[in-house]
């Protein structure tokens, strides 16, 4: 498997590598022989992960602890990897978070911070690393969007809109970059057992609790789709059914249903 994947000895950069999906992405890539660069704010969990990946898979691991919501974060990260002579062949653009609640009740600074991370830094990383991949004629980029990016979601208004951006950006880049040898894939997970809900401030999960997938399941689906060079993938059969049924519904009904599901009313 390692030989055919062609990932052995390549460098993969994973953002959001201190918890949730990012830990699983890094683990799956290291298991395929890729060296990994772990990026998030919390250094300690990443150092522990790095230790485990070196021990279990014999790969090289670099830890970059930084706040990716800073406006200059993408440029700083690129400069750091360049300074170490690391050519990134796989970019897992995954760091992000949500804010649950009425838009106007959320502190504006938090909303702007979330958009900076979920949209602007993600875009800049895709541009800076993707450009080099295109020049080399090879590479993979995986963007973590969300099931919530397929329709408007009251309660997650700005977050869902940010993930609609990620979904559309990624699918368009897939079409633009495929002839340059770069595969861009969007992963759209539904609810999963990570810190996402706690960070977002969503306490009552209702039906969502029953739809939860494990972060390992989600990451496996994402990596498999990325290696198959797919444009996008919705994680899990039930989530794919939701996206399919959504298309058959008037948009007002979509957002009515999602409002109730997010509020834990159904
Ligand atoms: N779990 C779900 O239900 C779900 C569903 C759909 C989509 N998603 C998306 O999946 C992605 C990963 O989330 P997750 O579910 O794995 O949640 P998670 O466990 O909370 O992980 C989020 C990761 O992003 C990092 N991060 C957050 N803010 C950051 C910042 N300012 N700078 C650098 N790193 C930052 C966190 O690290 P630090 O805190 O150490 O910085 C952490 O490693 C996100 O884009 C999320 O929107 C999640």
């Amino acid at each position: 498997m390692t030989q055919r994947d062609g990932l052995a000895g390549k460098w993969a950069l994973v953002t959001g590598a201190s918890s949730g999906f990012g830990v699983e992405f890094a683990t799956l890539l290291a298991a395929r022989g890729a060296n990994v660069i772990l990026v998030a704010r919390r250094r300690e969990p990443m150092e522990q992960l790095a230790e485990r990946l070196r021990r279990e898979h014999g790969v090289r691991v670099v830890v970059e602890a930084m706040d990716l919501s800073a406006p200059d974060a993408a440029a700083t990260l690129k400069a750091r990897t360049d300074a170490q002579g690391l050519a990134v062949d796989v970019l897992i653009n995954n760091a992000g978070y949500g804010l649950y609640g009425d838009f106007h009740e959320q502190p504006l600074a938090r909303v702007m911070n979330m958009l900076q991370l979920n949209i602007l830094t993600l875009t800049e990383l895709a541009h800076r690393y993707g450009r080099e991949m295109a020049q080399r004629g090879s590479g993979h980029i995986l963007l973590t969007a969300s099931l919530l990016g397929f329709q408007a979601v009251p309660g997650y208004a700005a977050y869902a809109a940010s993930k609609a951006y990620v979904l559309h950006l990624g699918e368009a880049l897939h079409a633009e970059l495929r002839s340059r040898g770069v595969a861009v894939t969007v992963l759209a997970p539904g609810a999963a057992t990570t810190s996402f809900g706690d960070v977002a401030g969503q306490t009552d999960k209702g039906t969502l609790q029953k739809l939860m997938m494990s972060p390992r399941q989600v990451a496996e689906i994402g990596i498999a789709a990325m290696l198959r060079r797919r444009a996008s993938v919705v994680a899990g059969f039930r989530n794919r059914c939701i996206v399919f049924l959504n298309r058959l519904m008037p948009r007002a009904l979509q957002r009515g249903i999602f409002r109730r599901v997010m509020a834990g009313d159904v």
Side-chain angles (χ1 to χ4, degrees):
M1 175 163 56
T2 302
Q3 292 295 324
R4 266 186 290 134
D5 288 343
L7 294 180
K10 300 267 176 75
W11 280 97
L13 188 152
V14 181
T15 70
S18 62
S19 72
F21 300 151
V23 171
E24 304 299 336
F25 285 133
T27 304
L28 292 169
L29 290 164
R32 287 169 162 80
N35 299 315
V36 282
I37 304 158
L38 309 175
V39 189
R41 288 167 302 184
R42 285 168 293 162
R43 178 176 290 281
E44 189 51 35
M46 291 194 291
E47 292 291 0
Q48 286 175 14
L49 175 62
E51 185 60 35
R52 179 168 67 76
L53 298 182
R54 289 182 195 114
R55 192 177 61 244
E56 292 180 2
H57 303 294
V59 296
R60 294 169 66 194
V61 186
V62 169
V63 172
E64 292 291 350
M66 63 187 296
D67 184 350
L68 289 171
S69 70
D72 62 351
T76 304
L77 178 58
K78 182 69 170 59
R80 286 193 199 173
T81 54
D82 283 352
Q84 295 170 79
L86 308 176
V88 171
D89 289 294
V90 179
L91 169 64
I92 310 287
N93 225 336
N94 164 73
Y97 70 94
L99 287 175
Y100 180 69
D102 286 347
F103 177 71
H104 284 101
E105 301 302 323
Q106 291 162 350
L108 183 57
R110 290 272 291 153
V111 177
M112 301 313 283
N113 181 277
M114 176 184 72
L115 297 180
Q116 177 73 40
L117 177 67
N118 292 9
I119 294 181
L120 294 180
T121 299
L122 171 137
T123 303
E124 193 174 333
L125 289 174
H127 192 280
R128 288 181 182 278
Y129 287 103
R131 196 182 173 91
E132 281 193 350
M133 290 178 197
Q135 281 162 1
R136 286 198 299 267
S138 68
H140 288 88
I141 299 177
L142 183 71
L143 307 177
T144 306
S146 170
L147 189 66
L148 300 192
F150 286 86
Q151 64 290 299
V153 184
Y156 272 117
Y159 171 74
S162 78
K163 293 300 184 177
Y165 171 87
V166 175
L167 178 63
H168 289 188
L169 176 77
E171 289 189 343
L173 293 185
H174 175 86
E176 286 188 13
L177 287 174
R178 66 186 303 179
S179 62
R180 311 281 304 269
V182 182
V184 181
T185 302
V186 183
L187 168 65
T193 51
T194 68
S195 336
F196 176 84
D198 293 339
V199 172
Q202 187 181 19
T203 45
D204 193 355
K205 299 191 180 75
T207 307
L208 288 178
Q209 205 68 51
K210 299 188 198 98
L211 296 172
M212 292 275 176
M213 291 175 69
S214 76
R216 174 54 70 100
Q217 283 176 303
V218 173
E220 277 173 348
I221 290 167
I223 297 291
M226 181 187 85
L227 293 174
R228 281 191 215 114
R229 300 180 162 264
R230 291 184 54 183
S232 58
V233 63
V234 175
F237 178 71
R238 281 179 297 194
N239 292 325
R240 285 200 298 281
C241 290
I242 290 169
V243 169
F244 177 77
L245 291 173
N246 238 351
R247 290 199 193 112
L248 309 177
M249 281 182 223
R251 290 171 71 82
L253 184 57
Q254 293 172 2
R255 53 183 183 264
I257 291 173
F258 268 80
R259 174 196 281 278
R260 294 187 62 200
V261 170
M262 291 304 140
D265 291 346
V266 288

